Amino acid sequence: MQLNEYGDVLIPRGGSRLIQNVVKNATVPVIETGTGNCHIYVDESCNIEMAKSIINNAKTSRPSACNAVEKVLINKNIAEKFLPIISQALIEENVEIRGDKRVAEICPNIRLATEEDWKQEYLDYILAIKVVEGIDEAISHINNYSSSHSEPIITNDYNHAQHFLKFVNSSTVYVNAITP
């Protein structure tokens, strides 16, 4: 970090502690990368198997990557059907799930999430899940808690996809895609 004669620039990739350490201690110029409190919104019109596959991959393939999913927001109209499916798949991959009150009612083995969980970038096999009224609550939650990195929607509804793309304030917004 201080070998100026050998390096032109440092681009730290990792968690916020690593990034801040490099920014604080480097004498070589640094391009500061972002942290990733990334969300996936599961719309009521989604393909359940696609949603399961995307979430499982986005959390378990590289959980320490800055674009790994940290939060999942599920539309209330599919919560009772989808939560047992996704929680079972994630638990089989040793993912600790934390959820809001509604998630805990549907899946009683889930740890109750705190306010800090919604802000936290875990970079680990931990995922927080929240049941939302609909797309507008999901967008509001994302714009409030996200680090503005990567946010997908899983939907079969073209209008919902376009609404999500237009109003989520993040650098990368996806439709039916994996974050990492």
Side-chain angles (χ1 to χ4, degrees):
M1 293 189 296
Q2 297 176 346
L3 299 174
N4 297 56
E5 63 274 11
Y6 298 108
D8 295 322
V9 68
L10 295 174
I11 305 172
R13 295 268 305 164
S16 61
R17 288 188 308 204
L18 169 72
I19 294 166
Q20 291 311 309
N21 183 40
V22 173
V23 168
K24 180 180 175 183
N25 295 305
T27 57
V28 175
V30 177
I31 296 176
E32 187 174 348
T33 58
T35 57
N37 187 16
C38 302
H39 296 69
I40 293 178
Y41 171 57
V42 182
D43 190 47
E44 64 186 314
S45 71
C46 78
N47 174 301
I48 297 286
E49 282 303 310
M50 179 194 306
K52 176 183 147 188
S53 177
I54 288 173
I55 293 167
N56 196 12
N57 185 296
K59 183 72 235 176
T60 63
S61 66
R62 291 179 53 221
S64 63
C66 61
N67 59 342
V69 68
E70 303 287 13
K71 311 299 178 299
V72 172
L73 308 173
I74 300 174
N75 184 289
K76 69 174 185 173
N77 295 328
I78 62 162
E80 289 199 27
K81 179 178 181 180
F82 184 62
L83 271 167
I85 294 168
I86 192 58
S87 66
Q88 181 62 38
L90 292 168
I91 289 169
E92 287 174 5
E93 296 288 337
N94 298 310
V95 175
E96 176 188 327
I97 302 171
R98 301 173 185 178
D100 70 356
K101 183 179 176 186
R102 185 70 179 119
V103 172
E105 288 171 358
I106 296 169
C107 300
N109 58 333
I110 304 293
R111 180 175 154 186
L112 201 57
T114 66
E115 178 64 21
E116 285 305 308
D117 281 307
W118 306 122
K119 302 172 188 176
Q120 181 72 36
E121 178 188 29
Y122 301 118
L123 301 172
D124 199 352
Y125 286 92
I126 303 170
L127 180 77
I129 301 176
K130 179 178 179 66
V131 174
V132 294
E133 290 293 313
I135 191 168
D136 289 324
E137 183 182 348
I139 291 168
S140 177
H141 181 93
I142 290 167
N143 288 340
N144 186 40
Y145 292 102
S146 170
S147 60
S148 301
H149 196 295
S150 301
E151 323 293 340
I153 181 175
I154 304 171
T155 187
N156 286 327
D157 185 314
Y158 177 80
N159 291 327
H160 283 191
Q162 294 306 305
H163 185 74
F164 191 84
L165 292 171
K166 181 176 181 179
F167 291 105
V168 169
N169 186 23
S170 291
S171 65
T172 311
V173 185
Y174 307 87
V175 177
N176 298 330
I178 298 167
T179 54

mmCIF file of all heavy atoms in Angstrom, residues 94-123:
data_model
loop_
_atom_site.group_PDB
_atom_site.id
_atom_site.type_symbol
_atom_site.label_atom_id
_atom_site.label_comp_id
_atom_site.label_asym_id
_atom_site.label_seq_id
_atom_site.Cartn_x
_atom_site.Cartn_y
_atom_site.Cartn_z
ATOM 1 N N ASN A 94 -26.330 -24.209 4.910
ATOM 2 C CA ASN A 94 -25.782 -23.645 6.152
ATOM 3 C C ASN A 94 -25.869 -22.129 6.231
ATOM 4 O O ASN A 94 -25.008 -21.478 6.814
ATOM 5 C CB ASN A 94 -24.339 -24.108 6.375
ATOM 6 C CG ASN A 94 -24.267 -25.608 6.533
ATOM 7 O OD1 ASN A 94 -25.019 -26.178 7.315
ATOM 8 N ND2 ASN A 94 -23.391 -26.242 5.769
ATOM 9 N N VAL A 95 -26.914 -21.552 5.648
ATOM 10 C CA VAL A 95 -27.151 -20.115 5.725
ATOM 11 C C VAL A 95 -28.030 -19.849 6.955
ATOM 12 O O VAL A 95 -29.069 -20.471 7.128
ATOM 13 C CB VAL A 95 -27.843 -19.582 4.454
ATOM 14 C CG1 VAL A 95 -28.201 -18.103 4.606
ATOM 15 C CG2 VAL A 95 -26.960 -19.804 3.231
ATOM 16 N N GLU A 96 -27.590 -18.921 7.786
ATOM 17 C CA GLU A 96 -28.392 -18.467 8.921
ATOM 18 C C GLU A 96 -29.379 -17.431 8.399
ATOM 19 O O GLU A 96 -28.986 -16.464 7.754
ATOM 20 C CB GLU A 96 -27.522 -17.831 9.997
ATOM 21 C CG GLU A 96 -28.319 -17.267 11.157
ATOM 22 C CD GLU A 96 -27.476 -16.478 12.126
ATOM 23 O OE1 GLU A 96 -26.288 -16.825 12.323
ATOM 24 O OE2 GLU A 96 -27.994 -15.496 12.680
ATOM 25 N N ILE A 97 -30.654 -17.643 8.684
ATOM 26 C CA ILE A 97 -31.682 -16.732 8.210
ATOM 27 C C ILE A 97 -32.229 -15.921 9.378
ATOM 28 O O ILE A 97 -32.552 -16.473 10.434
ATOM 29 C CB ILE A 97 -32.833 -17.486 7.515
ATOM 30 C CG1 ILE A 97 -32.281 -18.304 6.339
ATOM 31 C CG2 ILE A 97 -33.915 -16.514 7.058
ATOM 32 C CD1 ILE A 97 -33.286 -19.242 5.725
ATOM 33 N N ARG A 98 -32.315 -14.617 9.150
ATOM 34 C CA ARG A 98 -32.936 -13.709 10.104
ATOM 35 C C ARG A 98 -34.121 -13.083 9.394
ATOM 36 O O ARG A 98 -34.026 -12.724 8.224
ATOM 37 C CB ARG A 98 -31.946 -12.638 10.542
ATOM 38 C CG ARG A 98 -30.710 -13.250 11.194
ATOM 39 C CD ARG A 98 -29.652 -12.236 11.480
ATOM 40 N NE ARG A 98 -28.452 -12.906 11.987
ATOM 41 C CZ ARG A 98 -27.342 -12.281 12.299
ATOM 42 N NH1 ARG A 98 -27.253 -10.966 12.189
ATOM 43 N NH2 ARG A 98 -26.308 -12.968 12.754
ATOM 44 N N GLY A 99 -35.228 -12.962 10.094
ATOM 45 C CA GLY A 99 -36.413 -12.454 9.417
ATOM 46 C C GLY A 99 -37.218 -11.503 10.268
ATOM 47 O O GLY A 99 -37.073 -11.452 11.488
ATOM 48 N N ASP A 100 -38.089 -10.767 9.604
ATOM 49 C CA ASP A 100 -39.003 -9.893 10.326
ATOM 50 C C ASP A 100 -40.080 -10.744 11.005
ATOM 51 O O ASP A 100 -40.066 -11.979 10.913
ATOM 52 C CB ASP A 100 -39.591 -8.823 9.400
ATOM 53 C CG ASP A 100 -40.568 -9.372 8.364
ATOM 54 O OD1 ASP A 100 -40.762 -10.604 8.272
ATOM 55 O OD2 ASP A 100 -41.142 -8.550 7.626
ATOM 56 N N LYS A 101 -40.990 -10.101 11.687
ATOM 57 C CA LYS A 101 -42.014 -10.809 12.469
ATOM 58 C C LYS A 101 -42.845 -11.739 11.590
ATOM 59 O O LYS A 101 -43.128 -12.876 11.973
ATOM 60 C CB LYS A 101 -42.921 -9.785 13.168
ATOM 61 C CG LYS A 101 -43.953 -10.393 14.045
ATOM 62 C CD LYS A 101 -44.797 -9.331 14.723
ATOM 63 C CE LYS A 101 -45.896 -9.990 15.534
ATOM 64 N NZ LYS A 101 -46.820 -9.012 16.095
ATOM 65 N N ARG A 102 -43.210 -11.297 10.403
ATOM 66 C CA ARG A 102 -44.025 -12.121 9.502
ATOM 67 C C ARG A 102 -43.247 -13.356 9.044
ATOM 68 O O ARG A 102 -43.791 -14.450 8.974
ATOM 69 C CB ARG A 102 -44.465 -11.274 8.305
ATOM 70 C CG ARG A 102 -45.391 -11.995 7.382
ATOM 71 C CD ARG A 102 -46.768 -12.209 8.004
ATOM 72 N NE ARG A 102 -47.614 -12.886 7.054
ATOM 73 C CZ ARG A 102 -48.170 -14.074 7.264
ATOM 74 N NH1 ARG A 102 -48.020 -14.679 8.417
ATOM 75 N NH2 ARG A 102 -48.907 -14.643 6.342
ATOM 76 N N VAL A 103 -41.977 -13.208 8.754
ATOM 77 C CA VAL A 103 -41.139 -14.343 8.355
ATOM 78 C C VAL A 103 -41.067 -15.350 9.497
ATOM 79 O O VAL A 103 -41.221 -16.555 9.292
ATOM 80 C CB VAL A 103 -39.723 -13.879 7.943
ATOM 81 C CG1 VAL A 103 -38.798 -15.062 7.721
ATOM 82 C CG2 VAL A 103 -39.782 -13.009 6.692
ATOM 83 N N ALA A 104 -40.872 -14.849 10.708
ATOM 84 C CA ALA A 104 -40.775 -15.730 11.884
ATOM 85 C C ALA A 104 -42.094 -16.446 12.165
ATOM 86 O O ALA A 104 -42.089 -17.568 12.672
ATOM 87 C CB ALA A 104 -40.331 -14.924 13.102
ATOM 88 N N GLU A 105 -43.213 -15.833 11.831
ATOM 89 C CA GLU A 105 -44.512 -16.501 12.003
ATOM 90 C C GLU A 105 -44.655 -17.671 11.031
ATOM 91 O O GLU A 105 -45.183 -18.719 11.384
ATOM 92 C CB GLU A 105 -45.653 -15.507 11.774
ATOM 93 C CG GLU A 105 -45.820 -14.492 12.878
ATOM 94 C CD GLU A 105 -46.813 -13.387 12.513
ATOM 95 O OE1 GLU A 105 -47.343 -13.386 11.375
ATOM 96 O OE2 GLU A 105 -47.052 -12.524 13.378
ATOM 97 N N ILE A 106 -44.183 -17.489 9.819
ATOM 98 C CA ILE A 106 -44.296 -18.536 8.793
ATOM 99 C C ILE A 106 -43.238 -19.613 8.999
ATOM 100 O O ILE A 106 -43.510 -20.801 8.821
ATOM 101 C CB ILE A 106 -44.195 -17.910 7.385
ATOM 102 C CG1 ILE A 106 -45.380 -16.962 7.146
ATOM 103 C CG2 ILE A 106 -44.140 -18.992 6.308
ATOM 104 C CD1 ILE A 106 -45.255 -16.097 5.908
ATOM 105 N N CYS A 107 -42.040 -19.219 9.377
ATOM 106 C CA CYS A 107 -40.918 -20.139 9.595
ATOM 107 C C CYS A 107 -40.408 -19.937 11.022
ATOM 108 O O CYS A 107 -39.483 -19.142 11.243
ATOM 109 C CB CYS A 107 -39.817 -19.884 8.590
ATOM 110 S SG CYS A 107 -40.313 -20.096 6.874
ATOM 111 N N PRO A 108 -40.967 -20.632 11.999
ATOM 112 C CA PRO A 108 -40.626 -20.382 13.406
ATOM 113 C C PRO A 108 -39.177 -20.661 13.783
ATOM 114 O O PRO A 108 -38.712 -20.183 14.813
ATOM 115 C CB PRO A 108 -41.560 -21.310 14.179
ATOM 116 C CG PRO A 108 -42.426 -21.989 13.208
ATOM 117 C CD PRO A 108 -42.006 -21.631 11.833
ATOM 118 N N ASN A 109 -38.426 -21.384 12.957
ATOM 119 C CA ASN A 109 -37.024 -21.665 13.274
ATOM 120 C C ASN A 109 -36.089 -20.527 12.860
ATOM 121 O O ASN A 109 -34.878 -20.621 13.010
ATOM 122 C CB ASN A 109 -36.577 -22.967 12.591
ATOM 123 C CG ASN A 109 -36.741 -22.920 11.084
ATOM 124 O OD1 ASN A 109 -37.591 -22.203 10.556
ATOM 125 N ND2 ASN A 109 -35.947 -23.702 10.381
ATOM 126 N N ILE A 110 -36.653 -19.431 12.368
ATOM 127 C CA ILE A 110 -35.882 -18.276 11.911
ATOM 128 C C ILE A 110 -35.621 -17.327 13.077
ATOM 129 O O ILE A 110 -36.503 -17.050 13.877
ATOM 130 C CB ILE A 110 -36.659 -17.517 10.801
ATOM 131 C CG1 ILE A 110 -37.005 -18.426 9.645
ATOM 132 C CG2 ILE A 110 -35.921 -16.266 10.360
ATOM 133 C CD1 ILE A 110 -35.855 -18.925 8.856
ATOM 134 N N ARG A 111 -34.412 -16.813 13.125
ATOM 135 C CA ARG A 111 -34.047 -15.814 14.138
ATOM 136 C C ARG A 111 -34.673 -14.465 13.757
ATOM 137 O O ARG A 111 -34.651 -14.067 12.594
ATOM 138 C CB ARG A 111 -32.531 -15.704 14.183
ATOM 139 C CG ARG A 111 -32.003 -14.718 15.172
ATOM 140 C CD ARG A 111 -30.483 -14.797 15.212
ATOM 141 N NE ARG A 111 -29.954 -13.534 15.643
ATOM 142 C CZ ARG A 111 -28.677 -13.229 15.680
ATOM 143 N NH1 ARG A 111 -27.782 -14.129 15.303
ATOM 144 N NH2 ARG A 111 -28.271 -12.067 16.074
ATOM 145 N N LEU A 112 -35.212 -13.749 14.728
ATOM 146 C CA LEU A 112 -35.834 -12.451 14.485
ATOM 147 C C LEU A 112 -34.773 -11.410 14.138
ATOM 148 O O LEU A 112 -33.774 -11.271 14.844
ATOM 149 C CB LEU A 112 -36.634 -12.016 15.720
ATOM 150 C CG LEU A 112 -37.711 -10.970 15.494
ATOM 151 C CD1 LEU A 112 -38.723 -11.424 14.448
ATOM 152 C CD2 LEU A 112 -38.425 -10.670 16.800
ATOM 153 N N ALA A 113 -34.985 -10.690 13.050
ATOM 154 C CA ALA A 113 -34.046 -9.653 12.603
ATOM 155 C C ALA A 113 -34.206 -8.399 13.464
ATOM 156 O O ALA A 113 -35.290 -8.106 13.966
ATOM 157 C CB ALA A 113 -34.303 -9.313 11.141
ATOM 158 N N THR A 114 -33.119 -7.661 13.605
ATOM 159 C CA THR A 114 -33.125 -6.379 14.310
ATOM 160 C C THR A 114 -33.006 -5.254 13.285
ATOM 161 O O THR A 114 -32.722 -5.499 12.107
ATOM 162 C CB THR A 114 -31.938 -6.285 15.284
ATOM 163 O OG1 THR A 114 -30.721 -6.254 14.518
ATOM 164 C CG2 THR A 114 -31.910 -7.463 16.255
ATOM 165 N N GLU A 115 -33.155 -4.036 13.737
ATOM 166 C CA GLU A 115 -32.969 -2.878 12.860
ATOM 167 C C GLU A 115 -31.566 -2.884 12.259
ATOM 168 O O GLU A 115 -31.378 -2.538 11.093
ATOM 169 C CB GLU A 115 -33.224 -1.585 13.639
ATOM 170 C CG GLU A 115 -33.020 -0.326 12.842
ATOM 171 C CD GLU A 115 -33.969 -0.133 11.668
ATOM 172 O OE1 GLU A 115 -35.067 -0.742 11.653
ATOM 173 O OE2 GLU A 115 -33.617 0.616 10.743
ATOM 174 N N GLU A 116 -30.580 -3.289 13.031
ATOM 175 C CA GLU A 116 -29.192 -3.341 12.538
ATOM 176 C C GLU A 116 -29.020 -4.338 11.399
ATOM 177 O O GLU A 116 -28.184 -4.141 10.525
ATOM 178 C CB GLU A 116 -28.224 -3.654 13.677
ATOM 179 C CG GLU A 116 -27.973 -2.489 14.591
ATOM 180 C CD GLU A 116 -27.487 -1.238 13.849
ATOM 181 O OE1 GLU A 116 -26.505 -1.327 13.080
ATOM 182 O OE2 GLU A 116 -28.110 -0.180 14.030
ATOM 183 N N ASP A 117 -29.810 -5.415 11.415
ATOM 184 C CA ASP A 117 -29.706 -6.407 10.335
ATOM 185 C C ASP A 117 -30.010 -5.789 8.979
ATOM 186 O O ASP A 117 -29.390 -6.150 7.972
ATOM 187 C CB ASP A 117 -30.641 -7.593 10.588
ATOM 188 C CG ASP A 117 -30.079 -8.559 11.591
ATOM 189 O OD1 ASP A 117 -28.944 -9.016 11.413
ATOM 190 O OD2 ASP A 117 -30.780 -8.852 12.590
ATOM 191 N N TRP A 118 -30.949 -4.869 8.913
ATOM 192 C CA TRP A 118 -31.322 -4.287 7.619
ATOM 193 C C TRP A 118 -30.204 -3.419 7.056
ATOM 194 O O TRP A 118 -30.118 -3.217 5.853
ATOM 195 C CB TRP A 118 -32.628 -3.504 7.734
ATOM 196 C CG TRP A 118 -33.719 -4.337 8.308
ATOM 197 C CD1 TRP A 118 -34.441 -4.079 9.434
ATOM 198 C CD2 TRP A 118 -34.200 -5.600 7.828
ATOM 199 N NE1 TRP A 118 -35.331 -5.094 9.678
ATOM 200 C CE2 TRP A 118 -35.207 -6.043 8.707
ATOM 201 C CE3 TRP A 118 -33.878 -6.414 6.742
ATOM 202 C CZ2 TRP A 118 -35.896 -7.240 8.526
ATOM 203 C CZ3 TRP A 118 -34.561 -7.608 6.575
ATOM 204 C CH2 TRP A 118 -35.548 -8.007 7.448
ATOM 205 N N LYS A 119 -29.315 -2.928 7.919
ATOM 206 C CA LYS A 119 -28.206 -2.061 7.497
ATOM 207 C C LYS A 119 -26.921 -2.838 7.231
ATOM 208 O O LYS A 119 -26.002 -2.325 6.605
ATOM 209 C CB LYS A 119 -27.916 -1.030 8.594
ATOM 210 C CG LYS A 119 -29.091 -0.161 8.943
ATOM 211 C CD LYS A 119 -28.772 0.688 10.161
ATOM 212 C CE LYS A 119 -29.999 1.434 10.647
ATOM 213 N NZ LYS A 119 -29.722 2.175 11.881
ATOM 214 N N GLN A 120 -26.839 -4.052 7.719
ATOM 215 C CA GLN A 120 -25.596 -4.828 7.788
ATOM 216 C C GLN A 120 -25.219 -5.483 6.470
ATOM 217 O O GLN A 120 -26.043 -6.088 5.798
ATOM 218 C CB GLN A 120 -25.756 -5.916 8.858
ATOM 219 C CG GLN A 120 -24.573 -6.795 9.070
ATOM 220 C CD GLN A 120 -23.447 -6.060 9.762
ATOM 221 O OE1 GLN A 120 -23.677 -5.232 10.618
ATOM 222 N NE2 GLN A 120 -22.243 -6.376 9.382
ATOM 223 N N GLU A 121 -23.946 -5.370 6.108
ATOM 224 C CA GLU A 121 -23.360 -6.178 5.043
ATOM 225 C C GLU A 121 -22.694 -7.352 5.748
ATOM 226 O O GLU A 121 -21.700 -7.183 6.440
ATOM 227 C CB GLU A 121 -22.336 -5.371 4.251
ATOM 228 C CG GLU A 121 -21.669 -6.191 3.157
ATOM 229 C CD GLU A 121 -20.515 -5.459 2.490
ATOM 230 O OE1 GLU A 121 -19.860 -4.627 3.139
ATOM 231 O OE2 GLU A 121 -20.262 -5.750 1.315
ATOM 232 N N TYR A 122 -23.218 -8.554 5.599
ATOM 233 C CA TYR A 122 -22.720 -9.704 6.357
ATOM 234 C C TYR A 122 -21.420 -10.283 5.805
ATOM 235 O O TYR A 122 -20.556 -10.691 6.563
ATOM 236 C CB TYR A 122 -23.766 -10.816 6.403
ATOM 237 C CG TYR A 122 -25.071 -10.425 7.031
ATOM 238 C CD1 TYR A 122 -26.252 -10.451 6.301
ATOM 239 C CD2 TYR A 122 -25.145 -10.041 8.366
ATOM 240 C CE1 TYR A 122 -27.456 -10.108 6.872
ATOM 241 C CE2 TYR A 122 -26.347 -9.691 8.948
ATOM 242 C CZ TYR A 122 -27.501 -9.735 8.186
ATOM 243 O OH TYR A 122 -28.698 -9.389 8.748
ATOM 244 N N LEU A 123 -21.317 -10.421 4.489
ATOM 245 C CA LEU A 123 -20.170 -11.074 3.851
ATOM 246 C C LEU A 123 -19.949 -12.471 4.416
ATOM 247 O O LEU A 123 -18.824 -12.917 4.610
ATOM 248 C CB LEU A 123 -18.900 -10.220 4.019
ATOM 249 C CG LEU A 123 -18.977 -8.805 3.450
ATOM 250 C CD1 LEU A 123 -17.754 -7.993 3.842
ATOM 251 C CD2 LEU A 123 -19.163 -8.832 1.942
#
